[in-house]
C-alpha cells in the first residue's frame, strides 16, 4: 500500500541524503574505502535526484515520480548489498543494510503521483472524491 505522500517522501529524501553523506562519520566507519564512499556517493545522488524530481520538494522537476521511486529502489538495494559487493562486510555492514532497506521501503510505500498534480484537474478530483479513489494509483 502506498500511503507516504510525495511531499513527505521529498522531505525524507533530503534528510536521508544528508544522513548518508554524514553516516561514515556518525557511525565511525570513515576508513576511506568503499565503506565510506558508497553511502556518500549514494547520498549525493539522492540529493541531486530530489532536486530534479517533479514533486513538491523538487526544484528543477525533470525526473518523474515513478522514475524517482525506481531509482530509490535500485539505490537502496545497491546500498544494502554494497558490503558484500565491495568486500567490506567484515568491517561494517549494518548501516548500509539498514539505510538501504529503509530506502527500499520508502520507494515501495510512496504514492506515484504528487498531490499537486491531482489538484490541477478539478473534474478528476471530484470523481476521485466520489469514488474514493485517492492518490494511490500505481
Amino acid at each position: 500500500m502506498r500511503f507516504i505522500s510525495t511531499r513527505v517522501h521529498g522531505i525524507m529524501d533530503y534528510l536521508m541524503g544528508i544522513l548518508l553523506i554524514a553516516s561514515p562519520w556518525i557511525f565511525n566507519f570513515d576508513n576511506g574505502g568503499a565503506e565510506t564512499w558508497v553511502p556518500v556517493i549514494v547520498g549525493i545522488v539522492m540529493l541531486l535526484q530530489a532536486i530534479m524530481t517533479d514533486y513538491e520538494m523538487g526544484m528543477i522537476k525533470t525526473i518523474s515520480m515513478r522514475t524517482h521511486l525506481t531509482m530509490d529502489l535500485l539505490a537502496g538495494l545497491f546500498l544494502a548489498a554494497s558490503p558484500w559487493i565491495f568486500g567490506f562486510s567484515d568491517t561494517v555492514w549494518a548501516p548500509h543494510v539498514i539505510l538501504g532497506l529503509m530506502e527500499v521501503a520508502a520507494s515501495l510505500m510512496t504514492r506515484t503521483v504528487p498531490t499537486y498534480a491531482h489538484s490541477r484537474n478539478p473534474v478528476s478530483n471530484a470523481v476521485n472524491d466520489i469514488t474514493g479513489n485517492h492518490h494511490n494509483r500505481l
Side-chain angles (χ1 to χ4, degrees):
M1 175 176 222
R2 294 184 178 269
F3 58 87
I4 299 173
S5 73
T6 55
R7 180 175 174 75
V8 169
H9 185 98
I11 294 166
M12 291 175 9
D13 280 338
Y14 289 103
L15 294 174
M16 180 66 89
I18 292 166
L19 176 60
L20 283 169
I21 291 168
S23 66
W25 296 274
I26 292 172
F27 301 116
N28 198 27
F29 60 87
D30 58 326
N31 300 327
E35 69 279 359
T36 302
W37 290 106
V38 168
V40 169
I41 292 168
V42 170
I44 291 168
V45 169
M46 184 176 292
L47 291 175
L48 291 172
Q49 176 181 295
I51 290 167
M52 297 176 65
T53 297
D54 183 12
Y55 64 168
E56 297 88 344
M57 303 306 288
M59 295 175 207
I60 299 173
K61 301 185 188 298
T62 57
I63 299 172
S64 73
M65 194 63 204
R66 288 179 191 263
T67 300
H68 175 112
L69 294 174
T70 300
M71 292 169 62
D72 280 353
L73 176 69
L74 296 174
L77 291 172
F78 172 73
L79 184 61
S82 67
W84 294 274
I85 293 171
F86 295 103
F88 59 84
S89 62
D90 294 344
T91 309
V92 62
W93 60 268
H96 299 77
V97 171
I98 293 167
L99 295 174
L101 292 178
M102 287 173 61
E103 190 63 22
V104 168
S107 75
L108 297 173
M109 292 188 279
T110 299
R111 295 179 190 141
T112 58
V113 179
T115 304
Y116 69 80
H118 291 284
S119 65
R120 292 181 185 158
N121 185 342
V123 173
S124 176
N125 288 342
V127 169
N128 288 338
D129 287 343
I130 293 168
T131 62
N133 191 10
H134 295 282
H135 315 299
N136 59 357
R137 294 185 192 163
L138 295 173

mmCIF file of all heavy atoms in Angstrom, residues 54-83:
data_model
loop_
_atom_site.group_PDB
_atom_site.id
_atom_site.type_symbol
_atom_site.label_atom_id
_atom_site.label_comp_id
_atom_site.label_asym_id
_atom_site.label_seq_id
_atom_site.Cartn_x
_atom_site.Cartn_y
_atom_site.Cartn_z
ATOM 1 N N ASP A 54 9.982 15.821 -10.203
ATOM 2 C CA ASP A 54 8.741 16.569 -10.378
ATOM 3 C C ASP A 54 7.786 16.220 -9.231
ATOM 4 O O ASP A 54 6.856 15.428 -9.379
ATOM 5 C CB ASP A 54 8.116 16.236 -11.740
ATOM 6 C CG ASP A 54 6.858 17.037 -12.013
ATOM 7 O OD1 ASP A 54 6.584 18.011 -11.283
ATOM 8 O OD2 ASP A 54 6.131 16.683 -12.954
ATOM 9 N N TYR A 55 8.069 16.793 -8.060
ATOM 10 C CA TYR A 55 7.196 16.673 -6.894
ATOM 11 C C TYR A 55 7.322 17.946 -6.069
ATOM 12 O O TYR A 55 8.062 18.860 -6.447
ATOM 13 C CB TYR A 55 7.450 15.407 -6.102
ATOM 14 C CG TYR A 55 8.799 15.213 -5.419
ATOM 15 C CD1 TYR A 55 8.956 14.198 -4.490
ATOM 16 C CD2 TYR A 55 9.905 15.995 -5.681
ATOM 17 C CE1 TYR A 55 10.152 13.968 -3.850
ATOM 18 C CE2 TYR A 55 11.117 15.785 -5.042
ATOM 19 C CZ TYR A 55 11.232 14.772 -4.133
ATOM 20 O OH TYR A 55 12.425 14.554 -3.509
ATOM 21 N N GLU A 56 6.598 18.010 -4.979
ATOM 22 C CA GLU A 56 6.520 19.243 -4.205
ATOM 23 C C GLU A 56 7.869 19.762 -3.753
ATOM 24 O O GLU A 56 8.060 20.975 -3.642
ATOM 25 C CB GLU A 56 5.633 19.035 -2.963
ATOM 26 C CG GLU A 56 4.197 18.701 -3.261
ATOM 27 C CD GLU A 56 3.923 17.221 -3.423
ATOM 28 O OE1 GLU A 56 4.883 16.429 -3.598
ATOM 29 O OE2 GLU A 56 2.746 16.835 -3.383
ATOM 30 N N MET A 57 8.809 18.891 -3.495
ATOM 31 C CA MET A 57 10.101 19.299 -2.954
ATOM 32 C C MET A 57 11.172 19.480 -4.029
ATOM 33 O O MET A 57 12.294 19.845 -3.730
ATOM 34 C CB MET A 57 10.572 18.266 -1.919
ATOM 35 C CG MET A 57 9.584 18.038 -0.777
ATOM 36 S SD MET A 57 9.092 19.527 0.091
ATOM 37 C CE MET A 57 10.582 19.879 0.980
ATOM 38 N N GLY A 58 10.838 19.207 -5.286
ATOM 39 C CA GLY A 58 11.796 19.348 -6.373
ATOM 40 C C GLY A 58 11.946 20.795 -6.804
ATOM 41 O O GLY A 58 11.038 21.604 -6.660
ATOM 42 N N MET A 59 13.090 21.103 -7.372
ATOM 43 C CA MET A 59 13.353 22.463 -7.828
ATOM 44 C C MET A 59 13.413 22.559 -9.345
ATOM 45 O O MET A 59 12.966 23.538 -9.922
ATOM 46 C CB MET A 59 14.660 22.961 -7.219
ATOM 47 C CG MET A 59 14.611 23.093 -5.720
ATOM 48 S SD MET A 59 16.218 23.529 -5.072
ATOM 49 C CE MET A 59 16.115 22.838 -3.444
ATOM 50 N N ILE A 60 13.974 21.551 -9.995
ATOM 51 C CA ILE A 60 14.131 21.573 -11.448
ATOM 52 C C ILE A 60 13.029 20.780 -12.136
ATOM 53 O O ILE A 60 12.650 21.086 -13.255
ATOM 54 C CB ILE A 60 15.540 21.070 -11.844
ATOM 55 C CG1 ILE A 60 16.589 21.990 -11.223
ATOM 56 C CG2 ILE A 60 15.692 21.012 -13.350
ATOM 57 C CD1 ILE A 60 18.014 21.519 -11.404
ATOM 58 N N LYS A 61 12.498 19.762 -11.513
ATOM 59 C CA LYS A 61 11.326 18.984 -11.945
ATOM 60 C C LYS A 61 11.483 18.357 -13.339
ATOM 61 O O LYS A 61 10.648 18.540 -14.206
ATOM 62 C CB LYS A 61 10.059 19.836 -11.876
ATOM 63 C CG LYS A 61 9.775 20.357 -10.472
ATOM 64 C CD LYS A 61 8.464 21.090 -10.391
ATOM 65 C CE LYS A 61 8.241 21.774 -9.078
ATOM 66 N NZ LYS A 61 8.184 20.976 -7.901
ATOM 67 N N THR A 62 12.545 17.592 -13.522
ATOM 68 C CA THR A 62 12.756 16.902 -14.795
ATOM 69 C C THR A 62 12.619 15.386 -14.694
ATOM 70 O O THR A 62 12.509 14.718 -15.713
ATOM 71 C CB THR A 62 14.148 17.239 -15.385
ATOM 72 O OG1 THR A 62 15.140 16.893 -14.428
ATOM 73 C CG2 THR A 62 14.258 18.713 -15.715
ATOM 74 N N ILE A 63 12.623 14.829 -13.500
ATOM 75 C CA ILE A 63 12.505 13.385 -13.298
ATOM 76 C C ILE A 63 11.101 13.096 -12.797
ATOM 77 O O ILE A 63 10.625 13.719 -11.846
ATOM 78 C CB ILE A 63 13.539 12.877 -12.270
ATOM 79 C CG1 ILE A 63 14.965 13.157 -12.750
ATOM 80 C CG2 ILE A 63 13.345 11.396 -11.996
ATOM 81 C CD1 ILE A 63 16.030 12.850 -11.711
ATOM 82 N N SER A 64 10.409 12.127 -13.410
ATOM 83 C CA SER A 64 9.067 11.773 -12.957
ATOM 84 C C SER A 64 9.141 11.070 -11.602
ATOM 85 O O SER A 64 10.172 10.494 -11.231
ATOM 86 C CB SER A 64 8.383 10.854 -13.970
ATOM 87 O OG SER A 64 8.941 9.546 -13.916
ATOM 88 N N MET A 65 8.050 11.089 -10.892
ATOM 89 C CA MET A 65 7.993 10.431 -9.583
ATOM 90 C C MET A 65 8.196 8.931 -9.722
ATOM 91 O O MET A 65 8.881 8.314 -8.902
ATOM 92 C CB MET A 65 6.658 10.749 -8.891
ATOM 93 C CG MET A 65 6.646 10.414 -7.429
ATOM 94 S SD MET A 65 7.861 11.406 -6.529
ATOM 95 C CE MET A 65 8.139 10.355 -5.119
ATOM 96 N N ARG A 66 7.624 8.332 -10.748
ATOM 97 C CA ARG A 66 7.806 6.883 -10.960
ATOM 98 C C ARG A 66 9.281 6.544 -11.184
ATOM 99 O O ARG A 66 9.791 5.571 -10.628
ATOM 100 C CB ARG A 66 6.969 6.410 -12.133
ATOM 101 C CG ARG A 66 5.488 6.377 -11.832
ATOM 102 C CD ARG A 66 4.707 5.918 -13.055
ATOM 103 N NE ARG A 66 3.298 6.121 -12.892
ATOM 104 C CZ ARG A 66 2.445 5.184 -12.488
ATOM 105 N NH1 ARG A 66 2.879 3.980 -12.226
ATOM 106 N NH2 ARG A 66 1.165 5.453 -12.360
ATOM 107 N N THR A 67 9.954 7.343 -11.993
ATOM 108 C CA THR A 67 11.388 7.127 -12.234
ATOM 109 C C THR A 67 12.167 7.320 -10.942
ATOM 110 O O THR A 67 13.060 6.534 -10.620
ATOM 111 C CB THR A 67 11.899 8.072 -13.331
ATOM 112 O OG1 THR A 67 11.168 7.808 -14.532
ATOM 113 C CG2 THR A 67 13.383 7.895 -13.573
ATOM 114 N N HIS A 68 11.828 8.342 -10.201
ATOM 115 C CA HIS A 68 12.478 8.622 -8.923
ATOM 116 C C HIS A 68 12.358 7.418 -7.982
ATOM 117 O O HIS A 68 13.350 6.990 -7.388
ATOM 118 C CB HIS A 68 11.828 9.861 -8.292
ATOM 119 C CG HIS A 68 12.320 10.185 -6.918
ATOM 120 N ND1 HIS A 68 13.067 11.308 -6.647
ATOM 121 C CD2 HIS A 68 12.161 9.552 -5.720
ATOM 122 C CE1 HIS A 68 13.350 11.339 -5.352
ATOM 123 N NE2 HIS A 68 12.810 10.284 -4.774
ATOM 124 N N LEU A 69 11.152 6.870 -7.869
ATOM 125 C CA LEU A 69 10.936 5.741 -6.964
ATOM 126 C C LEU A 69 11.679 4.495 -7.434
ATOM 127 O O LEU A 69 12.190 3.724 -6.608
ATOM 128 C CB LEU A 69 9.445 5.469 -6.803
ATOM 129 C CG LEU A 69 8.655 6.580 -6.101
ATOM 130 C CD1 LEU A 69 7.160 6.288 -6.130
ATOM 131 C CD2 LEU A 69 9.139 6.795 -4.678
ATOM 132 N N THR A 70 11.759 4.293 -8.739
ATOM 133 C CA THR A 70 12.528 3.168 -9.272
ATOM 134 C C THR A 70 14.006 3.345 -8.939
ATOM 135 O O THR A 70 14.679 2.392 -8.524
ATOM 136 C CB THR A 70 12.339 3.053 -10.796
ATOM 137 O OG1 THR A 70 10.949 2.841 -11.069
ATOM 138 C CG2 THR A 70 13.155 1.909 -11.369
ATOM 139 N N MET A 71 14.514 4.565 -9.105
ATOM 140 C CA MET A 71 15.916 4.842 -8.762
ATOM 141 C C MET A 71 16.162 4.655 -7.263
ATOM 142 O O MET A 71 17.212 4.132 -6.864
ATOM 143 C CB MET A 71 16.294 6.248 -9.223
ATOM 144 C CG MET A 71 16.328 6.377 -10.739
ATOM 145 S SD MET A 71 16.472 8.075 -11.342
ATOM 146 C CE MET A 71 18.037 8.577 -10.682
ATOM 147 N N ASP A 72 15.203 5.064 -6.430
ATOM 148 C CA ASP A 72 15.320 4.846 -4.986
ATOM 149 C C ASP A 72 15.400 3.355 -4.659
ATOM 150 O O ASP A 72 16.212 2.942 -3.832
ATOM 151 C CB ASP A 72 14.117 5.437 -4.243
ATOM 152 C CG ASP A 72 14.214 6.934 -4.025
ATOM 153 O OD1 ASP A 72 15.263 7.529 -4.321
ATOM 154 O OD2 ASP A 72 13.219 7.506 -3.535
ATOM 155 N N LEU A 73 14.547 2.563 -5.300
ATOM 156 C CA LEU A 73 14.546 1.115 -5.076
ATOM 157 C C LEU A 73 15.907 0.526 -5.426
ATOM 158 O O LEU A 73 16.500 -0.218 -4.631
ATOM 159 C CB LEU A 73 13.447 0.458 -5.904
ATOM 160 C CG LEU A 73 13.383 -1.068 -5.848
ATOM 161 C CD1 LEU A 73 12.927 -1.533 -4.475
ATOM 162 C CD2 LEU A 73 12.467 -1.599 -6.916
ATOM 163 N N LEU A 74 16.417 0.873 -6.602
ATOM 164 C CA LEU A 74 17.713 0.339 -7.043
ATOM 165 C C LEU A 74 18.861 0.825 -6.163
ATOM 166 O O LEU A 74 19.754 0.048 -5.802
ATOM 167 C CB LEU A 74 17.955 0.701 -8.507
ATOM 168 C CG LEU A 74 16.973 0.076 -9.501
ATOM 169 C CD1 LEU A 74 17.215 0.627 -10.900
ATOM 170 C CD2 LEU A 74 17.054 -1.437 -9.483
ATOM 171 N N ALA A 75 18.831 2.094 -5.780
ATOM 172 C CA ALA A 75 19.882 2.636 -4.908
ATOM 173 C C ALA A 75 19.847 1.958 -3.542
ATOM 174 O O ALA A 75 20.907 1.652 -2.969
ATOM 175 C CB ALA A 75 19.722 4.145 -4.762
ATOM 176 N N GLY A 76 18.656 1.721 -3.015
ATOM 177 C CA GLY A 76 18.536 1.048 -1.721
ATOM 178 C C GLY A 76 19.060 -0.377 -1.760
ATOM 179 O O GLY A 76 19.765 -0.814 -0.850
ATOM 180 N N LEU A 77 18.722 -1.094 -2.826
ATOM 181 C CA LEU A 77 19.234 -2.465 -2.978
ATOM 182 C C LEU A 77 20.754 -2.464 -3.112
ATOM 183 O O LEU A 77 21.445 -3.294 -2.507
ATOM 184 C CB LEU A 77 18.585 -3.138 -4.194
ATOM 185 C CG LEU A 77 17.097 -3.455 -4.063
ATOM 186 C CD1 LEU A 77 16.539 -3.936 -5.406
ATOM 187 C CD2 LEU A 77 16.841 -4.468 -2.962
ATOM 188 N N PHE A 78 21.279 -1.531 -3.906
ATOM 189 C CA PHE A 78 22.734 -1.409 -4.081
ATOM 190 C C PHE A 78 23.407 -1.098 -2.747
ATOM 191 O O PHE A 78 24.409 -1.725 -2.385
ATOM 192 C CB PHE A 78 23.059 -0.337 -5.120
ATOM 193 C CG PHE A 78 24.519 -0.021 -5.218
ATOM 194 C CD1 PHE A 78 25.396 -0.922 -5.811
ATOM 195 C CD2 PHE A 78 25.019 1.173 -4.715
ATOM 196 C CE1 PHE A 78 26.761 -0.641 -5.892
ATOM 197 C CE2 PHE A 78 26.368 1.459 -4.793
ATOM 198 C CZ PHE A 78 27.243 0.550 -5.376
ATOM 199 N N LEU A 79 22.871 -0.134 -2.013
ATOM 200 C CA LEU A 79 23.451 0.243 -0.723
ATOM 201 C C LEU A 79 23.432 -0.934 0.240
ATOM 202 O O LEU A 79 24.433 -1.213 0.909
ATOM 203 C CB LEU A 79 22.688 1.432 -0.135
ATOM 204 C CG LEU A 79 23.210 2.018 1.160
ATOM 205 C CD1 LEU A 79 24.626 2.553 0.989
ATOM 206 C CD2 LEU A 79 22.278 3.128 1.651
ATOM 207 N N ALA A 80 22.315 -1.660 0.298
ATOM 208 C CA ALA A 80 22.211 -2.806 1.200
ATOM 209 C C ALA A 80 23.164 -3.931 0.825
ATOM 210 O O ALA A 80 23.687 -4.630 1.695
ATOM 211 C CB ALA A 80 20.768 -3.321 1.227
ATOM 212 N N ALA A 81 23.413 -4.117 -0.456
ATOM 213 C CA ALA A 81 24.305 -5.188 -0.918
ATOM 214 C C ALA A 81 25.768 -4.764 -0.970
ATOM 215 O O ALA A 81 26.653 -5.616 -1.089
ATOM 216 C CB ALA A 81 23.860 -5.655 -2.307
ATOM 217 N N SER A 82 26.040 -3.476 -0.874
ATOM 218 C CA SER A 82 27.404 -2.962 -1.074
ATOM 219 C C SER A 82 28.469 -3.574 -0.157
ATOM 220 O O SER A 82 29.605 -3.764 -0.606
ATOM 221 C CB SER A 82 27.426 -1.434 -0.985
ATOM 222 O OG SER A 82 27.121 -0.981 0.316
ATOM 223 N N PRO A 83 28.178 -3.918 1.097
ATOM 224 C CA PRO A 83 29.236 -4.527 1.911
ATOM 225 C C PRO A 83 29.775 -5.836 1.315
ATOM 226 O O PRO A 83 30.956 -6.151 1.464
ATOM 227 C CB PRO A 83 28.555 -4.780 3.258
ATOM 228 C CG PRO A 83 27.461 -3.759 3.313
ATOM 229 C CD PRO A 83 26.975 -3.652 1.889
#
